[in-house]
Amino acid sequence: MSFLFKLLFLYFWLYWMNLSSIFVTSKSRGGPGNVISGTVFVNGTASIGKTDENFICATVDWWPPDKCDYGTCSWGKASLLNLDLSNPILLNAIKAFSPLKIRMGGTLQDKVIYETKGDKNPCTPFIKNSSEMFGFSKGCLPMSRWDELNIFFKKAGAMVVFGLNALNGRSVGPDGSAMGAWNFSNAESLIRYTVNQGYTIHGWELGNELCGSGIGAKVAADQYAFDVINLQNIVQNIYKGFEVQPLIIAPGGFFDANWFTQFVQKTPKSLQVVTQHIYNLGAGNDNQLMNKILNPSYLDGGQQTFRGLQTILKNSATSAVAWVGEAGGAYNSGQNLVSNSFVYSFWYLDQLGMASSYDTKTYCRQSLIGGNYGLLDTTTFVPRPDYYSALLWHRLMGSNVLSTRFSGTTSVRAYAHCSKQSQGITLLLINLNATTTVQVRVSTESSGSHGRLNLQQEQEVPRINFTSMSRNFKPNGNSREEYHLTAKDGDLHSQNVVLNGKILILTSSGGIPSLEPVNMSMLDPIIVAPFSIVFSHIPNIKLPACK
C-alpha cells in the first residue's frame, strides 16, 4: 500500500512539474507574448478592383503658419504660398515615387483669388481674422508663385491636381448655404495662363468640402452639377486640340449618400473623378486616438463610405471613378506623436488596402508636409514613418486587387495585390497585437500548377534575425522577398521606422535610403511580429488575375 501511495505521489509530482515546465516555456521561449498560426487566403481567379498605376497621392495645403488647433500651431511654412521649394529633401522625397500625385488644395482654396494680368488690387496672403469663415481673410496666389510651383513639380516628376475656388462669386447665408452660381472667370484666367505657359495639370478639381452639409459653407447638388458642367466647358475650350485633357474632378468633400446620388446623376458625362474626404478617426485631440487605430472593429467601420460611393457609381450612368481626394485620419491637423509616428501606418496602410478593395483609383494623404499628419517633417523635411509605408506600397503593390481574408486572429489585417515587380503577388500583413507573433501560411484559391501554395508552419517559436537573412540574391522559385517594418525601440510613438532591423535615415546628401528586402525560403512561414507590418513579394505564385 505504501509502495502504491509513493508511486501515485511520484506520478502527480511529475505531472505538476511538466505543467509548470510548459507554462514557463510558453512564457519564456518566445520572449514577451505568445505565438499563433494564421492563414491568409487569396482568391486569384479575378481581381476585385483596379487602382491607378499611381495610386499614392499626397496633398499640399494653403494653411498659413498661424493656423492653430487645440493651442498648437503645427503648419509652419508648409503652405503652397511659402513652402521652401529649394529644399533638396523635398525634391528627393517626391522624386522617389516617379511619379507622385500631388493634390494642391484644402480648406482655404475656396477663398483664394488668382492674380490676373492688369489686376489693380494687391495680391496679398491670407491674414488671420477670427470673424471670417475658417478664421482667415481671402488670400491671393501670385502668378510668380504659380510659376515656381509648376517648375518645381515638373522637376520632381509629380502629377499635379489643383483645387479651384468654388465659392468665388457666391454669397454665404447664416446657415452656411452658398447662394448663386460659381463665378468661373478667375479660374478660367488661371487655366488659360497655365496652358499658355506650357504647364501640365493632371486634373482640375472644383471646390473643397462644400457637398452635403458642408464645412463652413455648402452648395446644393444641382447647383454644384451645373458648376461642374461649366468647368468642363472651360477645360474643353482651352485644351481644344490637346491629345490628352486634364481630368474634371469634384466635389472634394465628405460622403453624403443623398447629395452624392443627386450630384452624380446630374453629371453623367461632365465628370471623370468623384472625390471624397476621410477623417474617420475623429478629432485630433481625441485621447482615444491610439485605441481606435489598434481596434480592428473600429477600422472595419471605414468600409461604409467606400462601399456607399461605389454603389452610387455602379447604379448610375456615369463613367466617373472614385478617389479619396484628402484623408488625414484625425481632423484639425492630427495629433502630435500619433499621426506623425509609427502607429499611424497601421491606420494608413489599412486605409490604402481597404480603399483599393473597393475599386478606389487614387488615395491622397493629408498631407505631404504640414500639420501633425504630414509624410514629411514640417521643419526638417525628414520623412516620417508613413512616408516609407507609402513608398513601399507604391513600389510593391500592383494595380490589380485580389480578394483576401485572414483566418487565425482578428488582430492581423491582410491585403493582397498582383505584384508591381513580377507576375506574382504582394501581401500586406499588419499585426495590431502588442504581444502575439503570428506565423502566416498562404493559401490561394485557384487551380493550376502554381495555383495553391501552403507555407509550412514551423514548430519552434520564430525569432526574426535579420542579420542571418540573405539580402544579396535575387528571388527564385524557392524564395520570396520580405519587408518588415517596426517602430524604433518598439515605441509606437516613435517618428523613426526600422526596416528589416535597420533604421531608415536619409543619405548624407538628403537622398531617400534604399529599401532593401530580406529573402526567405518559401518553405518558411511569414513571421509577423507584434506591432509590425510586413510586405511580402512572392513572385512564384502565378494567378489568373495577375496574367
Side-chain angles (χ1 to χ4, degrees):
M1 186 73 175
S2 175
F3 173 76
L4 289 175
F5 178 81
K6 289 180 179 179
L7 186 63
L8 188 62
F9 175 82
L10 178 63
Y11 171 79
F12 278 110
W13 182 82
L14 289 172
Y15 177 76
W16 173 253
M17 289 301 293
N18 184 52
L19 281 179
S20 300
S21 174
I22 291 172
F23 176 77
V24 171
T25 301
S26 68
K27 298 294 284 185
S28 63
R29 67 176 183 168
N34 62 334
V35 180
I36 63 173
S37 299
T39 303
V40 57
F41 296 92
V42 181
N43 188 331
T45 305
S47 62
I48 59 170
K50 189 176 180 66
T51 69
D52 286 346
E53 186 74 11
N54 302 294
F55 175 67
I56 299 293
C57 168
T59 67
V60 183
D61 214 309
W62 290 99
W63 288 121
D66 47 358
K67 152 70 171 171
C68 306
D69 300 284
Y70 318 117
T72 301
C73 308
S74 59
W75 282 87
K77 291 187 176 182
S79 166
L80 285 163
L81 295 176
N82 58 31
L83 181 62
D84 181 7
L85 302 178
S86 66
N87 189 293
I89 300 176
L90 177 64
L91 179 65
N92 292 334
I94 297 173
K95 270 188 170 182
F97 282 82
S98 295
L100 176 64
K101 275 181 183 158
I102 298 288
R103 181 243 184 183
M104 293 194 277
T107 300
L108 295 181
Q109 80 177 51
D110 290 315
K111 303 187 72 172
V112 178
I113 299 298
Y114 318 121
E115 183 184 38
T116 57
K117 188 175 181 180
D119 192 347
K120 297 179 181 179
N121 296 319
C123 192
T124 57
F126 296 102
I127 298 173
K128 196 172 185 66
N129 186 338
S130 59
S131 66
E132 295 267 3
M133 186 170 60
F134 308 127
F136 288 90
S137 68
K138 288 185 177 181
C140 179
L141 172 63
M143 285 303 95
S144 58
R145 182 60 176 178
W146 183 236
D147 293 337
E148 293 170 355
L149 288 166
N150 278 279
I151 291 169
F152 171 77
F153 284 125
K154 181 179 180 181
K155 183 179 180 181
M159 301 170 66
V160 172
V161 170
F162 187 81
L164 296 165
N165 53 2
L167 282 183
N168 192 47
R170 306 186 206 262
S171 60
V172 179
D175 66 345
S177 296
M179 311 303 292
W182 172 49
N183 184 340
F184 53 76
S185 59
N186 189 230
E188 183 177 15
S189 175
L190 176 70
I191 296 171
R192 196 173 297 279
Y193 177 87
T194 301
V195 171
N196 290 339
Q197 293 297 109
Y199 303 144
T200 300
I201 300 296
H202 183 64
W204 296 102
E205 183 177 29
L206 183 62
N208 183 84
E209 297 175 359
L210 301 173
C211 54
S213 57
I215 301 297
K218 56 186 177 182
V219 177
D222 56 350
Q223 179 61 60
Y224 216 126
F226 179 77
D227 299 330
V228 165
I229 292 170
N230 280 332
L231 174 58
Q232 181 202 32
N233 292 335
I234 292 167
V235 169
Q236 288 183 340
N237 180 44
I238 295 176
Y239 286 87
K240 188 175 182 179
F242 281 64
E243 185 175 345
V244 178
Q245 294 190 0
L247 300 172
I248 305 297
I249 304 171
F254 295 103
F255 181 71
D256 179 301
N258 291 332
W259 193 98
F260 271 69
T261 298
Q262 295 177 53
F263 177 69
V264 170
Q265 287 176 347
K266 294 177 183 295
T267 55
K269 296 181 179 180
S270 56
L271 191 65
Q272 284 84 60
V273 178
V274 178
T275 43
Q276 65 164 314
H277 291 184
I278 295 177
Y279 287 87
N280 63 319
L281 295 175
N285 65 344
D286 186 352
N287 59 12
Q288 294 300 309
L289 193 57
M290 286 273 288
N291 292 334
K292 289 179 178 179
I293 293 169
L294 298 174
N295 183 339
S297 297
Y298 190 90
L299 294 180
D300 284 341
Q303 299 179 71
Q304 297 175 4
T305 58
F306 297 123
R307 184 187 300 116
L309 181 52
Q310 279 305 318
T311 298
I312 291 172
L313 294 178
K314 290 178 180 178
N315 292 334
S316 71
T318 188
S319 59
V321 298
W323 284 19
V324 173
E326 180 183 315
Y331 58 79
N332 287 345
S333 304
Q335 185 177 124
N336 188 35
L337 298 182
V338 176
S339 55
N340 53 16
S341 67
F342 179 80
V343 72
Y344 225 51
S345 279
F346 295 147
W347 167 80
Y348 181 39
L349 287 173
D350 188 66
Q351 275 280 298
L352 296 182
M354 190 180 294
S356 59
S357 297
Y358 284 94
D359 207 33
T360 306
K361 304 303 182 184
T362 291
Y363 192 106
C364 298
R365 167 64 180 264
Q366 172 84 344
S367 61
L368 174 64
I369 187 167
N372 288 314
Y373 39 36
L375 299 179
L376 307 177
D377 184 271
T378 306
T379 304
T380 66
F381 293 77
V382 170
R384 291 168 171 164
D386 281 5
Y387 172 87
Y388 292 109
S389 295
L391 187 55
L392 281 171
W393 176 289
H394 177 75
R395 292 180 177 178
L396 298 171
M397 305 292 270
S399 295
N400 287 350
V401 188
L402 305 175
S403 176
T404 308
R405 61 185 177 88
F406 191 86
S407 174
T409 173
T410 59
S411 294
V412 170
R413 318 286 287 181
Y415 299 98
H417 285 221
C418 297
S419 176
K420 213 172 204 179
Q421 300 183 342
S422 70
Q423 291 185 340
I425 67 171
T426 299
L427 298 176
L428 168 60
L429 303 168
I430 304 168
N431 188 353
L432 301 175
N433 193 284
T435 58
T436 299
T437 296
V438 185
Q439 299 181 90
V440 178
R441 296 182 301 128
V442 181
S443 180
T444 59
E445 301 177 357
S446 27
S447 59
S449 59
H450 297 286
R452 186 171 184 81
L453 176 66
N454 289 306
L455 302 183
Q456 293 182 355
Q457 182 179 321
E458 296 284 348
Q459 297 302 313
E460 297 297 323
V461 174
R463 296 179 182 274
I464 303 177
N465 182 4
F466 295 109
T467 59
S468 66
M469 295 180 178
S470 174
R471 301 170 184 264
N472 299 319
F473 72 91
K474 294 183 178 180
N476 52 43
N478 298 314
S479 68
R480 66 178 186 269
E481 295 178 323
E482 291 182 359
Y483 303 78
H484 295 252
L485 296 174
T486 53
K488 182 186 177 186
D489 300 325
D491 180 8
L492 293 186
H493 295 287
S494 175
Q495 294 182 331
N496 291 297
V497 62
V498 177
L499 173 62
N500 295 335
K502 181 180 178 181
I503 298 176
L504 292 176
I505 57 175
L506 296 174
T507 66
S508 58
S509 60
I512 302 301
S514 59
L515 307 180
E516 298 295 334
V518 291
N519 290 280
M520 294 294 293
S521 168
M522 288 298 296
L523 299 178
D524 296 328
I526 301 172
I527 306 302
V528 189
F531 281 159
S532 75
I533 297 162
V534 179
F535 286 93
S536 181
H537 170 219
I538 311 176
N540 70 321
I541 293 185
K542 307 293 175 61
L543 302 176
C546 301
K547 290 182 179 178

